[in-house]
Amino acid sequence: TGTHAGIGSQGTFLWQFISHQCSGKPIKGTVGTVLSMVAAVALIISAGVALSSVASGGSPLGYSTSPLMTKIRAASDQALALRALEPLSVTRELLVDPLRHIPFIVSYAAPPTTPTLSTPATGQGASRDPFAVSTRDPYLVVEEGYVDGYSVMLNKFPSFAGHVLLVTDGPEQQADGLSSQDVSVLVDLVREIRGVGFFNSDREAGASQPHKHMQAIPVFSMVSEFPELQGRLPIENTFPREEEEAPGECNTLKLPFQHAFARFGSKPDAAATAFQSMLHCVRDGVSSSVGSYNVLVGDDWLLVVARSQREFEGFDVNAMGFAGALLVKTRQASAFLESAGPIEVLSGVAVAAASPSVTVTSR
């Protein structure tokens, strides 16, 4: 368990993953069971060694050793011990879209039995704001006042280790949209944890708390189970080579829905400027008014996607879907994914492209 020396919270996440992987899906035949157990043991050994090195200050496989990441690990350890943090029990596979040939990380999980920080609260206490300074769970707080006006919290029910929330300390609302300052602070956080940041503009885009919050996950936490991803997010397989990119913020990828892609270099302020232009690009040329959107933030890139609806064929999609990570909670969703592929799911919740995407050469 996570009490083993040197493994900490990441090890606890790993053990929960292995436990669910061995028992969550029926495996037919004795040989299949033995092979699964062998694979599980191998994963425990290899990941345990890596995580032990991370906990002692090393970063052999991509985890940041920044002060913030250290605080995230420590807060996770404490919250897990106190059961304030409840990682989803998931199994994962890499599924390649049949038409676009893009690999997707697919997580299979049962829905939590209690309301989460990322799902709408219902029933008694539904009006309580879990992100307000006065009502936050102290065991989920990583750093109050990360910068002026923002704090960092743990996502209570993460499907990936190290999933954090960047919440505003004031009364700002999610529907207000991202400000230039929001983007700059999120870029700084993403770089500090070597992560990917994201924002869901409203309920239709996958948000479920009205208090403004952005989110971030260490990239290594998402991709480490799949060496074939070579340490990159699935969406990065669609990125053009830098020398092939057109200047400006209205570039598009080989994707069949309304979006904009841009690189912003080393300055967070450049990201904020690019975002405002990208939002105009995404909203330009579509037949209906585009209000809902998702934003993905890398260490030097931005992706903005226009949304048409929240759910499609059993999938509840937020920005992480467009990073290449889908969460499957129902048999209906699993069956549709098998037959149609991940891009069809994303197309079902996004606004159809106003014009064909620019053809670019992927890496």
Side-chain angles (χ1 to χ4, degrees):
T1 68
T3 58
H4 287 290
I7 294 180
S9 64
Q10 311 294 354
T12 301
F13 281 27
L14 175 67
W15 278 96
Q16 291 180 346
F17 164 73
I18 292 299
S19 174
H20 187 72
Q21 185 178 43
C22 292
S23 62
K25 288 185 176 181
I27 303 174
K28 296 182 179 179
T30 303
V31 174
T33 302
V34 171
L35 289 175
S36 293
M37 292 177 66
V38 170
V41 170
L43 179 59
I44 291 171
I45 293 173
S46 61
V49 170
L51 293 170
S52 178
S53 180
V54 169
S56 62
S59 186
L61 297 177
Y63 271 120
S64 168
T65 56
S66 69
L68 178 60
M69 195 68 220
T70 300
K71 291 179 180 179
I72 291 170
R73 290 199 300 268
S76 297
D77 285 343
Q78 181 183 44
L80 282 164
L82 297 171
R83 298 187 179 181
L85 186 66
E86 302 178 33
L88 296 181
S89 182
V90 300
T91 59
R92 292 195 179 96
E93 67 176 3
L94 206 60
L95 180 65
V96 178
D97 186 83
L99 296 179
R100 303 280 170 162
H101 308 294
I102 302 170
F104 276 72
I105 301 167
V106 181
S107 301
Y108 298 88
T113 56
T114 56
T116 78
L117 291 183
S118 296
T119 55
T122 57
Q124 186 176 5
S127 61
R128 176 180 173 271
D129 180 356
F131 302 150
V133 173
S134 61
T135 53
R136 293 171 184 167
D137 183 339
Y139 298 117
L140 295 178
V141 174
V142 175
E143 185 173 350
E144 294 272 13
Y146 168 66
V147 296
D148 187 32
Y150 301 85
S151 295
V152 178
M153 298 179 64
L154 298 173
N155 185 326
K156 185 175 180 64
F157 291 90
S159 60
F160 293 104
H163 185 165
V164 294
L165 309 171
L166 177 66
V167 302
T168 59
D169 292 333
E172 294 84 359
Q173 297 294 292
Q174 196 79 349
D176 294 339
L178 283 181
S179 68
S180 295
Q181 184 179 11
D182 294 334
V183 175
S184 296
V185 175
L186 182 57
V187 170
D188 286 339
L189 186 150
V190 163
R191 288 175 172 170
E192 193 167 357
I193 70 169
R194 296 181 189 169
V196 58
F198 58 103
F199 177 75
N200 310 309
S201 69
D202 54 22
R203 192 180 187 287
E204 291 303 304
S208 44
Q209 290 291 342
H211 190 123
K212 186 187 282 190
H213 62 286
M214 295 134 278
Q215 305 182 55
I217 302 174
V219 170
F220 177 67
S221 178
M222 298 177 62
V223 305
S224 59
E225 294 174 29
F226 305 105
E228 54 267 60
L229 290 176
Q230 300 181 339
R232 295 190 299 164
L233 293 170
I235 189 61
E236 294 183 85
N237 288 281
T238 69
F239 289 2
R241 296 185 178 93
E242 291 189 42
E243 64 271 17
E244 296 172 334
E245 291 181 31
E249 292 83 27
C250 288
N251 290 308
T252 56
L253 308 173
K254 294 187 290 186
L255 299 170
F257 39 79
Q258 192 77 348
H259 68 281
F261 169 79
R263 296 186 195 273
F264 54 82
S266 60
K267 297 181 179 179
D269 289 347
T273 301
F275 167 69
Q276 297 300 332
S277 298
M278 293 169 73
L279 200 54
H280 286 298
C281 295
V282 165
R283 289 171 169 169
D284 186 36
V286 294
S287 57
S288 60
S289 175
V290 176
S292 305
Y293 60 89
N294 291 126
V295 181
L296 287 170
V297 180
D299 61 355
D300 69 347
W301 57 268
L302 284 168
L303 179 67
V304 180
V305 179
R307 290 294 295 269
S308 61
Q309 60 182 356
R310 178 176 181 136
E311 299 180 3
F312 181 73
E313 294 292 341
F315 283 89
D316 188 345
V317 181
N318 68 12
M320 287 311 297
F322 297 96
L326 290 170
L327 181 63
V328 178
K329 293 184 178 181
T330 67
R331 292 181 180 179
Q332 173 196 359
S334 180
F336 183 84
L337 192 65
E338 292 275 342
S339 63
I343 292 294
E344 189 68 19
V345 173
L346 299 184
S347 297
V349 297
V351 174
S355 60
S357 296
V358 174
T359 301
V360 295
T361 303
S362 297
R363 292 178 180 176

